[in-house]
Amino acid sequence: MRPNRGTNLQAETPMSNSRHRAFSFGRIAAITANTFIELTRLKIFYVVLLFALLLIGNSIFMAQLTFQQEFQVLKDIALGSMSIFTSLFAVVATARLIPHDLEDRTIYTILAKPVPRFEYLLGKLAGVLLLLAVSVIIMSALFFIVLNVREQIVLRETVRQMSASPPEQTAEAVRAVSASAFNMNLFPGIAIIYVKACLLASLTLFVSTFATTSIFTTAVMVFAYFIGHLQGIAREYWLQSNSAGWLTKVFLAFVTLLFPDLQLFNLVDDIVAGTAISLALFAKTATLGFFYTGFYLLLASTVFYRKEL
Amino acid sequence: MMRILVVLLSLGLFGAAKLPAEHAITSAHRSLHFRSVTFDLGLRDQIGQLGFIAALSGFRSLVADALFVQAHIAWERTEWGRVLLLFRQVTTLQPRATLFWDVAAWHMAWNASTAAMNDSTQPRLALRVKAQREYLQLGKDFLEQGIKNNPERPQLYEAMARLYRDKYHDHEHAAEFFEKAAGLPDAPSYAKRFAAYELSHCDGRAREAYDRLHGLYATCINERPPTLIGHLKDLEIKLDIPLEQRIPDPRP
């Protein structure tokens, strides 16, 4: 870990400090800040630029469709790419954390100080989650700006075209345009995308504690990603099917018990289509996601606790 | 070795503990119309292996959009068979997007059916009419399926009413579907009026249509659409309404 002007790990954990605390938010914050800055230096935010180009390019191309079609496709592409980018960030950024620190030998410097390994992992994960949060906020802001600009253009055009129509019809048309553009349910949808990315980051951290290279971790995570999306089908088949053989049942139980159900976090497809998400359902889904995140972090620290470095 | 066992055991125990939560949330999703797509071999055959994997990986709406854009291009080239195939895939992937059902039905019942009727390569009128009817039926099928998947939304009921009104000239059914649309949340304000207009064209229901339109006329004090006044005037003559009960003539 490179020393940084903003954070001072040394000052937070002095060897001379007689009152060493077993758990320190200060130490975790220092590791988090360093991890965040380190990941930012990888020019990871260039992807956000790509996202902006995708949105603007898409909205120019889609201008030839009707406004409902245009908004539907714009929202689908924005939220779909947000989901792809955050999942990618989560896996790729987390997979390189421990191998990179081992390669740079910064891990030895940190763990030689009275920094518990759990705090080290928590700080690292928090750095990635912070990066993901910043990325999601920037991408969401870009998305809402583009959506709003397109909505205003369409509204102006609608009002101009309907200038001779009765006010009731104009109001109806304006309402239709506004209803097909912005929808409050987009916020919980984006939040669930973030929760899914947190889960993936935590799972990646767990895999990287026993993996030897970041390539191995990434490869395992690609498989885990696909299996996680199939887990729901495996679970239903395992719980409901009586005709399956014992070998099939064992395999299905293995998939069901060991992998998270990632389909639970794919709500944006239906949210964009206009399905409303209740607060209770959003809270349950988000809680489950954070529960997974916490559990995989605990598992990671169990593996990492006595790992030979 | 001990640590590996502890980790595996923890994963298994956590897996067992999370099962009821996952099951409950899945049921809640289904009851609120989330994740209504069934990933089976039928879908795989429809959208191909790559599309199926992408859809399974949480990019269902992106795959649907890509297919929708392809369908748009196919429509510009008037490749009706391809338009039908692609819209079947799009609506299978995004059954909750009313827009896709509506556009699919519009392409079949309006564009493809008109193209079939004006097909210069088919000299026999009977065959052109047959093809036109088949496309109309395809449009109707899309709307029926769409309504089945979105029973609480007014857009597709309204589209079905327009189909009955403009293509089948079946005013009875058109009135029924406009009425259904009007009864749903977020229905356009004109749906109730349109239901009454359609009713006025049905045999033996003129009085009912008159009563409804008169009720609407009484409520629309600020703005009375000319079509509403025109329909009321026609019905007053048809039903021989006494002069003192008739609505005043609109100002020139």
Side-chain angles (χ1 to χ4, degrees):
Chain A
M1 188 180 296
R2 295 186 187 100
N4 187 276
R5 266 179 292 171
T7 53
N8 191 345
L9 196 64
Q10 199 87 32
E12 288 292 332
T13 58
M15 290 298 283
S16 56
N17 191 348
S18 56
R19 290 183 62 205
H20 172 73
R21 281 170 293 170
F23 186 84
S24 159
F25 280 111
R27 287 196 298 261
I28 293 166
I31 297 171
T32 302
N34 273 295
T35 309
F36 179 74
I37 290 162
E38 205 177 306
L39 289 170
T40 321
R41 284 184 186 141
L42 292 174
K43 298 184 175 59
I44 220 160
F45 288 118
Y46 280 180
V47 173
V48 176
L49 193 70
L50 193 73
F51 178 77
L53 287 174
L54 190 75
L55 278 189
I56 295 161
N58 164 66
S59 65
I60 292 166
F61 172 70
M62 293 303 160
Q64 58 181 300
L65 302 175
T66 65
F67 71 85
Q68 290 105 328
Q69 295 168 4
E70 181 195 339
F71 291 147
Q72 169 93 33
V73 175
L74 178 67
K75 285 190 275 188
D76 277 341
I77 289 183
L79 296 175
S81 359
M82 222 184 269
S83 181
I84 293 174
F85 290 146
T86 49
S87 299
L88 259 177
F89 275 173
V91 173
V92 177
T94 317
R96 65 180 294 285
L97 288 179
I98 297 176
H100 185 255
D101 273 7
L102 280 169
E103 201 180 296
D104 279 3
R105 302 192 161 271
T106 44
I107 195 166
Y108 305 111
T109 324
I110 299 166
L111 296 180
K113 297 178 182 8
V115 178
R117 290 190 177 196
F118 174 72
E119 282 185 10
Y120 168 77
L121 286 184
L122 182 59
K124 285 280 169 192
L125 182 66
V128 177
L129 300 194
L130 186 63
L131 176 91
L132 289 172
V134 172
S135 313
V136 167
I137 289 167
I138 296 173
M139 285 194 274
S140 305
L142 275 170
F143 164 52
F144 286 122
I145 289 168
V146 173
L147 188 65
N148 188 261
V149 168
R150 286 303 307 161
E151 185 188 351
Q152 294 310 316
I153 293 170
V154 173
L155 278 175
R156 265 203 304 276
E157 186 64 20
T158 308
V159 171
R160 193 183 61 77
Q161 282 178 0
M162 299 195 76
S163 54
S165 309
E168 187 210 17
Q169 279 180 29
T170 312
E172 195 84 56
V174 166
R175 194 179 67 93
V177 173
S178 301
S180 56
F182 181 74
N183 177 351
M184 279 304 278
N185 284 304
L186 291 172
F187 288 114
I190 292 170
I192 293 293
I193 289 176
Y194 175 69
V195 173
K196 184 181 173 185
C198 293
L199 188 163
L200 286 171
S202 181
L203 184 57
T204 310
L205 189 72
F206 165 56
V207 174
S208 74
T209 52
F210 57 80
T212 44
T213 61
S214 56
I215 295 172
F216 175 79
T217 309
T218 310
V220 168
M221 278 311 295
V222 169
F223 285 112
Y225 185 86
F226 284 115
I227 296 170
H229 279 94
L230 289 166
Q231 193 261 23
I233 298 170
R235 187 183 65 239
E236 279 177 18
Y237 194 61
W238 179 48
L239 294 175
Q240 288 165 10
S241 167
N242 295 316
S243 56
W246 69 269
L247 196 65
T248 313
K249 285 208 162 193
V250 167
F251 175 71
L252 292 173
F254 175 80
V255 170
T256 305
L257 297 176
L258 298 194
F259 289 90
D261 184 356
L262 294 178
Q263 286 288 3
L264 291 178
F265 305 96
N266 287 339
L267 301 183
V268 280
D269 288 337
D270 294 303
I271 286 175
V272 172
T275 308
I277 180 168
S278 69
L279 190 66
L281 184 62
F282 167 70
K284 276 183 201 168
T285 313
T287 308
L288 184 72
F290 286 124
F291 206 63
Y292 272 126
T293 309
F295 175 73
Y296 290 127
L297 175 68
L298 280 178
L299 274 190
S301 54
T302 310
V303 177
F304 196 59
Y305 183 60
R306 282 176 185 271
K307 185 180 164 100
E308 285 283 344
L309 294 170
Chain B
M1 189 62 196
M2 192 62 190
R3 255 182 314 137
I4 294 169
L5 277 176
V6 168
V7 167
L8 283 175
L9 198 68
S10 307
L11 267 174
L13 285 174
F14 177 71
K18 74 182 167 66
L19 268 185
E22 282 179 344
H23 199 65
I25 294 175
T26 304
S27 304
H29 282 173
R30 296 256 159 85
S31 67
L32 289 170
H33 304 289
F34 281 98
R35 298 164 61 201
S36 44
V37 177
T38 313
F39 290 98
D40 54 17
L41 285 176
L43 181 66
R44 189 240 166 273
D45 288 343
Q46 270 194 49
I47 62 174
Q49 194 178 35
L50 209 62
F52 189 66
I53 290 170
L56 255 181
S57 316
F59 306 117
R60 188 159 52 87
S61 57
L62 278 181
V63 177
D65 281 337
L67 294 169
F68 176 72
V69 172
Q70 282 183 36
H72 185 82
I73 294 164
W75 167 56
E76 286 178 338
R77 292 178 184 161
T78 63
E79 296 169 355
W80 301 115
R82 192 163 157 73
V83 172
L84 172 64
L85 179 78
L86 287 165
F87 268 110
R88 280 199 175 137
Q89 297 171 353
V90 171
T91 49
T92 306
L93 283 170
Q94 274 290 58
R96 292 286 295 162
T98 51
L99 173 77
F100 291 149
W101 292 107
D102 195 6
V103 177
W106 175 66
H107 279 315
M108 289 300 114
W110 267 263
N111 300 328
S113 72
T114 309
M117 198 56 194
N118 298 332
D119 185 3
S120 55
T121 59
Q122 177 54 264
R124 291 182 61 188
L125 178 67
L127 289 177
R128 290 206 305 261
V129 170
K130 183 174 175 277
Q132 184 195 33
R133 283 185 187 160
E134 281 170 0
Y135 279 121
L136 284 177
Q137 185 58 44
L138 283 168
K140 200 171 138 201
D141 289 346
F142 269 120
L143 290 175
E144 280 171 354
Q145 282 298 315
I147 288 171
K148 209 182 273 180
N149 282 286
N150 302 275
E152 81 288 11
R153 293 172 170 176
Q155 293 90 341
L156 296 177
Y157 290 99
E158 201 199 319
M160 186 68 113
R162 275 186 272 114
L163 178 70
Y164 274 119
R165 183 188 65 189
D166 301 338
K167 291 292 172 182
Y168 287 103
H169 307 292
D170 180 346
H171 300 292
E172 190 94 33
H173 276 104
E176 182 194 329
F177 277 95
F178 273 127
E179 195 65 41
K180 281 180 180 170
L184 293 167
D186 298 325
S189 58
Y190 56 78
K192 202 174 254 184
R193 211 165 59 229
F194 280 23
Y197 293 163
E198 290 310 304
L199 218 54
S200 70
H201 297 297
C202 300
D203 290 337
R205 299 185 75 176
R207 183 77 223 184
E208 190 187 342
Y210 175 77
D211 290 341
R212 285 201 198 178
L213 288 173
H214 203 273
L216 288 167
Y217 178 85
T219 52
C220 303
I221 297 163
N222 296 331
E223 194 188 327
R224 284 165 176 152
T227 324
L228 172 68
I229 295 169
H231 270 84
L232 268 174
K233 287 276 170 205
D234 290 346
L235 286 168
E236 280 171 350
I237 296 163
K238 191 176 179 182
L239 294 167
D240 202 16
I241 302 290
L243 282 174
E244 64 277 9
Q245 288 177 22
R246 293 187 181 188
I247 59 166
D249 285 327
R251 275 170 288 176

